[in-house]
Amino acid sequence: MNSQLILSIKEALVRFKNKPIFEDLNFNLHQKSRIALVGKNGSGKTTLMKIIAGEIELEEGEIWFENKIEIGYLNQEFINISDKNIFQELVSTINNDEEKKFKIDIITEALNINLKSKLVDLSGGQLRKVGLAKALINEPDILLLDEPTNHLDLEVIEWLENYLNKYNGTIICISHDRTFLSNVTNKVFWIDRGILKISPKGFKFFDEWSQTLLEQEEKELRNRKQSLSVDIEWASKGVKARVKRNVRRLEQIRLMQKKLEEDETSYRRAISKIKVNSNIKFKDHAKSISEFFNVSKSFKTNSEEIKILENFNFKINRGDRIGILGENGSGKTTFLKLLLKQEIPDKGTIKNFKNIEFSYFDQKRSDLFLKETIKKNISPSGGDYINVMGKDRHVYGYLKEFQFDPRILNDYVSTLSGGQKNRLMLAKILANPKSCLILDEPTNDLDMDTLDLLEEILINYKGTLIIVSHDRDFLDQTVTRILAFQGDGKVVDCIGGYSDYLKLKKNNFKNKNLMRHVSNKVKKIKQSKTLNNNKLTYKLEHELSIIPREISKLETVISQMNLILSDATLYTKNIDKFLESSKTLEISKKKLDELETRWLELDLKKNKL
């Protein structure tokens, strides 16, 4: 027996810039449905949400709501930021309803929201949490959630799953998080090339169902082609112009052939995949990428000191595939900035080895120029060709592989959706990925197809990979090691993917074969009064500890000498300074090479003991 009907849309037409997004759109919503809304970026998912929310009117067709239906909407754009604190904002949402005030405490505590914080002081991720709280507190009859897991840590995502599974209303959810959708939905709305296709089962069964539909479409196209070939053969033998019915049939054949070609193109576009050459040759470099030695880092606010790292020791080796987890503010992005030398540690040393190059996917998309065109972002010089892994590629052809229609390449980046901007960022980075690829929340706003393709690219990537993400399935597919930031400077290093980390966490980190604490390691070595077979001698340990500082000093000297010698007139102006600087540079480089080699010898010896 079907649940009660609460909303119905019939024969709807919606256009954007005179281009139809939906034609003859029909669907019904029933009470307690949990719907996964899926489709490629730009297919109309957010538009459909806005139609239901009443933010977009139908040009044609009709929409029916049950009387007094209430709709809550978490969208991609946030509230007007004011000087209110969070509590004031949420109270205004419930219109001072005393019966609902208790929910503010329950939901904000679960979302780790400080009610006294002012909206103007919040980060984008924190504002998204407030938006989610606003959508949940009123318990609307229809709850629309557009990427609700963005910027949430894993514990909060799991809480949200449990909350939604007990929810009495109807839920429609857009999300890139496969695990989340599989856990909370019982129906799928799939927007495929402007057509809404509905599955009566949840997202857990989506891949199997959608593949079946595509196979049926391929079979139908093949049958049409075979049938049309008979008519084309007849037409090729010639038609007598005086026989009107033959002329009409010939015109019908031409129209059928044109329609078939359009449908075949549409089908190929629907199943198209990003193709990126994974056989990338990198410059030779050391077996180690970077070494954090006794690193401490903290930030001070008006009320407290936030400890990010304390006596942190960690080595990234060539070919490592590291997933980084942690609550918002626990230090994930700071760790990346320290690695990239965009931040400096309060204490300790960070050594990046020679010939290491980084490609960085920044979740804030700071490498995109919003006031420039899509084409200009990929080809800043303005030419029609770009270098893609050593080969010249036409911009249009390359971006088409990332599912960009060539007709929009002169549009400004500011007009793109969040998912399209992320795809453009990936296209920029993957044109020539460096030996170490760093991705900070790369899955946000991506459609499922692009997410699948990104996983495939990363699985085949031969360099060193570091990913910050809260997408559980994505981490399981792409990484073999987890670095979990626990807060207050504590970090746990776990062998395996997210599932392995979760098992370790449930066992209270008791499995020493999978986990090692990387904080305070140096402190423990100094406090130890006896040697055992797993440590270097005190003399060698001391030598290993001072080498990074000596390397840092030499690098500073080399930079200074290079700056002095960059003056093309120095030789004629001051030959003595030129010769002295040249000699200092040569000696420093030789000493640096010796120290790096010695550091590697000691480090390998220490790890083999």
Side-chain angles (χ1 to χ4, degrees), residues 360-424:
Y360 181 35
F361 181 100
D362 175 8
Q363 63 170 307
K364 294 182 179 178
R365 309 183 187 118
S366 54
D367 283 347
L368 290 184
F369 302 101
L370 300 182
K371 295 183 180 180
E372 297 287 356
T373 65
I374 298 170
K375 182 181 176 183
K376 187 77 172 177
N377 268 266
I378 286 291
S379 179
S381 63
D384 288 335
Y385 289 85
I386 60 169
N387 183 278
V388 179
M389 299 177 199
K391 295 182 179 179
D392 286 338
R393 294 283 310 278
H394 199 284
V395 174
Y396 283 39
Y398 178 63
L399 285 177
K400 194 173 181 180
E401 292 178 353
F402 285 82
Q403 299 167 0
F404 282 99
D405 188 329
R407 291 173 294 184
I408 71 166
L409 296 195
N410 288 316
D411 290 356
Y412 290 106
V413 172
S414 58
T415 66
L416 299 179
S417 68
Q420 288 172 316
K421 289 174 183 173
N422 272 11
R423 270 196 279 128
L424 185 59

Side-chain angles (χ1 to χ4, degrees), residues 218-233:
E218 182 185 24
K219 184 178 180 180
E220 188 267 339
L221 287 170
R222 192 165 56 245
N223 290 340
R224 282 171 58 191
K225 194 169 187 176
Q226 290 173 352
S227 176
L228 188 59
S229 64
V230 176
D231 292 329
I232 292 173
E233 184 180 357

Side-chain angles (χ1 to χ4, degrees), residues 121-133:
D121 296 328
L122 300 183
S123 66
Q126 291 168 326
L127 287 171
R128 288 280 296 171
K129 282 187 176 183
V130 177
L132 179 58

Side-chain angles (χ1 to χ4, degrees), residues 103 118 209 219 238 247 336 388 470 502:
K103 292 179 184 175
K118 289 189 176 182
W209 171 71
K219 184 178 180 180
V247 174
L336 298 184
V388 179
H470 291 123
L502 186 61

